[in-house]
Amino acid sequence: MNVNKERLLNTEEAAEILGIKPNTLKQWRCNDTIEKRINYIKISNKIIRYKLEDINNFIKNNYISI
């Protein structure tokens, strides 16, 4: 069995990395717009977790160079 031991981030930790409020991240999950979509893991109705890799990919994909 191959188990990935990567630490999963809660909503507050993911929001802090992104520099946004946790409620904004919650709204993005509910609205489910393509531009604001970040993969997440739903463990139960109240437990949501994010992979750091997915947060970093979101930042990379939304980077705008002027």
Side-chain angles (χ1 to χ4, degrees):
M1 178 168 71
N2 185 9
V3 178
N4 183 352
K5 295 185 179 183
E6 177 182 5
R7 183 176 172 277
L8 299 176
L9 306 169
N10 64 33
T11 300
E12 290 74 18
E13 293 167 325
E16 183 176 341
I17 291 169
L18 292 167
I20 61 175
K21 294 182 179 188
N23 280 340
T24 300
L25 202 50
K26 291 174 186 176
Q27 288 174 353
W28 290 356
R29 283 197 311 262
C30 293
N31 292 338
D32 201 28
T33 60
I34 298 297
E35 298 82 23
K36 301 298 183 195
R37 182 175 294 161
I38 301 175
N39 293 333
Y40 61 91
I41 300 164
K42 187 173 183 179
I43 299 171
S44 72
N45 285 338
K46 294 186 179 188
I47 300 175
I48 302 293
R49 295 293 183 260
Y50 295 88
K51 290 182 175 181
L52 181 58
E53 177 184 359
D54 291 330
I55 300 295
N56 288 332
N57 285 337
F58 175 81
I59 293 169
K60 177 182 161 189
N61 293 334
N62 287 279
Y63 180 78
I64 299 172
S65 178
I66 299 175

